[in-house]
Amino acid sequence: MTDPTAEPQPNAPEPKSGSSVLRDRDGIRDALAALIGLARRDIVIFTPQMDAHFFNGAAIGQALTNFVRQSRHNRARIMVENGVQTLRDNARLVSLVRRFSDFIQMRQVSDEYRGHNEMFVIVDGTSYMHQQDVTKTICILEPTGRQKSIVLRHVFEPMWDRSEPPTGLHTAGLTS
């Protein structure tokens, strides 16, 4: 399902090997797009608030589009605490979720898992980005962090299993 017409991301920097500490919003956004651009089979995203600065830009949109076009087996799972805010502030991302619903899924955590204050992204089970406190602009990027990726996935999986799509994400498509 590779799209030969898909253009590469010309300005998306590739994450360097070794851990990096990112301290500014634009740096986090650019590294996030680069990390997602490297995904070959699996993307996991958790964030309490889907920050449009990070997730609603053209670079993320192109990276996700390229990801789903690479293979029909690729999957991205996005989980948020605030589904209403996500749908309201992230129109580009929500459009991709709707358009590629077989490949990109979005869910809202159940009440029992509310209150997390961290954001993390795991790519292919080997690379991750982790912002321990979303109120602070400090983020760790580790392109070769398999062990921490496993720990973060163990946080994510039970929340995913008990979550549901945000109200209003999918419409019936019926018109009168």
Side-chain angles (χ1 to χ4, degrees):
M1 193 156 143
T2 302
D3 181 4
T5 63
E7 294 186 26
Q9 297 172 310
N11 296 325
E14 288 202 16
K16 58 187 176 186
S17 62
S19 182
S20 300
V21 177
L22 307 169
R23 297 182 186 274
D24 68 274
R25 291 176 52 77
D26 290 343
I28 293 170
R29 180 199 59 214
D30 296 344
L32 180 59
L35 183 63
I36 289 174
L38 295 174
R40 298 295 164 245
R41 68 182 180 281
D42 181 55
I43 299 170
V44 168
I45 299 171
F46 170 77
T47 185
Q49 298 283 329
M50 178 106 348
D51 188 330
H53 184 78
F54 298 151
F55 292 100
N56 201 45
I60 290 287
Q62 189 62 53
L64 282 169
T65 299
N66 290 343
F67 172 74
V68 299
R69 289 180 174 169
Q70 287 173 13
S71 169
R72 62 188 173 99
H73 300 290
N74 286 357
R75 295 291 178 269
R77 295 181 293 161
I78 302 167
M79 190 163 34
V80 298
E81 280 194 24
N82 191 336
V84 172
Q85 176 271 330
T86 299
L87 296 177
R88 182 189 65 226
D89 298 342
N90 295 277
R92 180 177 284 161
L93 178 64
V94 170
S95 176
L96 286 174
V97 171
R98 288 175 176 152
R99 180 175 172 205
F100 297 117
S101 61
D102 289 343
F103 307 100
I104 306 172
Q105 297 176 335
M106 181 181 289
R107 292 190 183 174
Q108 182 172 306
V109 298
S110 65
D111 289 341
E112 68 189 288
Y113 289 108
R114 290 189 175 278
H116 286 269
N117 202 29
E118 64 184 323
M119 182 267 294
F120 57 84
V121 178
I122 306 166
V123 169
D124 296 333
T126 58
S127 305
Y128 73 90
M129 176 180 278
H130 188 207
Q131 186 178 15
Q132 291 180 345
D133 184 343
V134 295
T135 64
K136 298 178 182 169
T137 312
I138 299 173
C139 194
I140 305 292
L141 173 67
E142 180 60 65
T144 57
R146 181 178 296 278
Q147 290 298 81
K148 181 68 173 186
S149 295
I150 291 169
V151 170
L152 292 172
R153 188 174 290 265
H154 283 300
V155 171
F156 181 87
E157 293 300 338
M159 290 192 298
W160 182 263
D161 291 342
R162 310 262 326 212
S163 63
E164 295 181 357
T167 303
L169 177 61
H170 299 291
T171 57
L174 302 175
T175 59
S176 51

